[in-house]
Amino acid sequence: MREINIASILVGKRKEKGITQDELAGYLGVSKAAISKWETGQSYPDITLLPLLAAYFNISIDDLIDYKPQMVKEDIRKLYLKFCRDFSEKPFDKVYAECEKIIKKYYACPALLLEMGALLVNHCMLADSQEKSQEVLEKTRDLMVHIREETNDEYILGVSVYLEAGCEMYLDNPSAAMILLEDCNRPKTSPEVILASAFDRLGKKDRAIEVLQTMIYQNILLALGGFGNLLFEYADSEEKVDMWMNSFIQIAESMDLIEMHPGGLAPMFLLAAEVYITQGREQKALAMLQKYANIFTGDIYPLKLQGNRFFDQMDNWFDMLGIGTNMPRCESVVKGSLLESLEKNPKFESISDTDEFKRIVYQMKLKFL
């Protein structure tokens, strides 16, 4: 991360111009001692002198103080992971205050702000009150609006809309989320198919495969992510719930997707268990919870984004993501959330005293604690 650094710029520009500290001091009307302190970082020039200094060296004020309002991808990734660790180890309010400082400092860097928004959405549940969590979500929503005012990057624009819509849903504003998503301009055809064909014609078969794998992977995850919502819509039909849940399992297992992305797909078994409970099918619910526990107590740690035998050319796409192959939340936070979603879920109250449920909870505690 780049910081304001006028000292080294002054030294370099003065030597480049071939002048002494005395000469620069005389031009500005200050003492040589003042110039010396500026160049050693002991103090800074008065703000009224910055335009004079910048003009003298024929550079902008931003260049003079070495201020970079943008942050490069690797620095964004490191910062995200640092805050992930901090949220798992330090008080929420303290880490959140640091996040706000970074947001203010890089308010003109949409790529950084987008990742900070995702970071806050992924950790707002750690706030010590519902009111604080809501405040974080409201500020994140407003941040997404600001991002769209500052960038023309299609990827950042698209993700910011989804994050804002997610905030609206968490804030119990489904109408606002609906309007946001209905207004999205989605292409009628996939540009990836054309891009892959172009790579193929140019003899770049590996790139064509990479593009197609990435497209298929993203679309399958997107489709499977909707199965959970569909189960709730079909909650009054045992036949439909069984049909869609069986389809989910067949698709996910046939392509090893659950092992590839457990954090995104395994919660489907938790959702299915909740639906089965509403239908009074407690044994089906317990069977889903057992699958859920088996996945998260299996050999999947450390959690990270990774390919498999179907999707074996995804490394470039993973690297393009703001946080690379790392999970968006610290592992300890993830484990705590997983256990709480099971043990403290009021929808499982009717089976919480059964031996099967207690055994499942114990299985997860044994792995996590």
Side-chain angles (χ1 to χ4, degrees):
M1 204 185 319
R2 302 292 297 274
E3 302 291 343
I4 294 175
N5 183 22
I6 194 171
S8 62
I9 299 297
L10 275 178
V11 173
K13 288 297 179 182
R14 180 175 60 76
K15 291 182 177 179
E16 182 182 306
K17 204 171 180 68
I19 62 171
T20 64
Q21 288 184 341
D22 278 324
E23 289 174 308
L24 181 58
Y27 172 78
L28 295 172
V30 298
S31 67
K32 178 185 175 182
I35 301 295
S36 178
K37 288 183 178 180
W38 298 348
E39 292 188 352
T40 56
Q42 298 178 57
S43 65
Y44 296 100
D46 187 276
I47 192 171
T48 59
L49 294 176
L50 294 182
L52 288 175
L53 275 166
Y56 184 71
F57 292 122
N58 195 28
I59 57 177
S60 69
I61 292 179
D62 279 354
D63 287 339
L64 174 68
I65 62 177
D66 197 26
Y67 174 64
K68 308 294 183 185
Q70 303 296 312
M71 189 182 288
V72 298
K73 182 187 297 184
E74 187 57 34
D75 284 341
I76 292 174
R77 183 179 302 176
K78 290 178 181 177
L79 187 66
Y80 188 105
L81 296 176
K82 173 190 177 299
F83 279 129
C84 275
R85 291 191 296 270
D86 288 349
F87 271 124
S88 69
E89 300 169 358
K90 302 176 182 178
F92 178 86
D93 285 346
K94 182 177 181 179
V95 183
Y96 178 53
E98 290 299 315
C99 290
E100 287 192 305
K101 288 181 182 178
I102 291 294
I103 288 171
K104 289 179 180 178
K105 182 174 181 179
Y106 291 95
Y107 204 55
C109 182
L112 181 277
L113 298 182
L114 186 70
E115 296 302 333
M116 294 302 294
L119 176 84
L120 294 176
V121 169
N122 284 321
H123 294 85
C124 66
M125 80 293 294
L126 299 176
D128 57 9
S129 68
Q130 184 64 33
E131 292 75 16
K132 184 66 176 183
S133 180
Q134 181 169 325
E135 174 194 322
V136 174
L137 287 169
E138 289 172 347
K139 289 188 175 181
T140 303
R141 175 193 61 194
D142 296 342
L143 188 61
M144 294 305 105
V145 175
H146 167 73
I147 286 173
R148 292 199 296 281
E149 294 173 347
E150 294 294 323
T151 185
N152 293 317
D153 185 291
E154 290 296 327
Y155 172 78
I156 293 177
L157 287 169
V159 177
S160 69
V161 169
Y162 286 117
L163 269 177
E164 183 182 349
C167 289
E168 294 289 14
M169 289 298 293
Y170 283 126
L171 293 168
D172 198 25
N173 297 324
S175 295
M178 179 188 68
I179 292 170
L180 277 168
L181 298 179
E182 282 187 339
D183 286 345
C184 284
N185 294 318
R186 297 180 182 176
K188 299 294 189 294
T189 58
S190 173
E192 288 85 358
V193 172
I194 300 173
L195 179 60
S197 297
F199 278 132
D200 184 67
R201 289 192 184 185
L202 292 169
K204 299 181 178 181
K205 187 174 182 177
D206 286 346
R207 290 299 308 278
I209 292 173
E210 176 189 330
V211 169
L212 291 172
Q213 282 191 9
T214 301
M215 177 195 70
I216 293 169
Y217 174 72
Q218 289 179 290
N219 281 285
I220 287 178
L221 285 188
L222 184 62
L224 291 179
F227 275 48
N229 297 80
L230 199 56
L231 290 189
F232 279 112
E233 298 300 330
Y234 280 133
D236 58 351
S237 170
E238 293 185 3
E239 180 184 357
K240 289 287 188 180
V241 168
D242 287 343
M243 179 183 73
W244 280 97
M245 193 59 205
N246 289 337
S247 296
F248 171 86
I249 293 173
Q250 289 172 11
I251 295 170
E253 290 185 347
S254 69
M255 303 187 79
D256 302 332
L257 291 171
I258 295 176
E259 291 75 13
M260 181 180 178
H261 191 29
L265 296 182
M268 178 67 177
F269 294 105
L270 186 71
L271 294 172
E274 293 180 356
V275 173
Y276 283 131
I277 285 293
T278 65
Q279 294 179 336
R281 304 162 75 187
E282 294 185 351
Q283 287 306 309
K284 292 283 286 186
L286 287 166
M288 292 297 104
L289 292 179
Q290 186 63 68
K291 286 181 176 291
Y292 178 76
N294 288 345
I295 292 168
F296 284 117
T297 57
D299 187 22
I300 62 172
Y301 303 98
L303 290 170
K304 63 179 181 179
L305 295 174
Q306 58 187 338
N308 63 16
R309 61 194 177 102
F310 289 96
F311 302 98
D312 58 356
Q313 295 196 41
M314 301 269 295
D315 289 346
N316 286 336
W317 182 72
F318 287 142
D319 190 58
M320 285 174 58
L321 301 176
I323 58 171
T325 60
N326 301 282
M327 286 291 105
R329 289 189 287 173
C330 181
E331 192 171 295
S332 62
V333 175
V334 171
K335 288 180 177 179
S337 178
L338 293 173
L339 187 57
E340 185 173 328
S341 67
L342 178 63
E343 188 177 24
K344 297 183 179 181
N345 193 326
K347 294 184 179 178
F348 300 140
E349 184 177 353
S350 63
I351 58 174
S352 61
D353 288 331
T354 65
D355 291 340
E356 296 96 326
F357 186 84
K358 290 179 180 178
R359 185 167 55 249
I360 292 169
V361 171
Y362 177 74
Q363 177 183 343
M364 295 187 73
K365 285 185 174 180
L366 197 63
K367 179 74 175 183
F368 295 168
L369 304 180

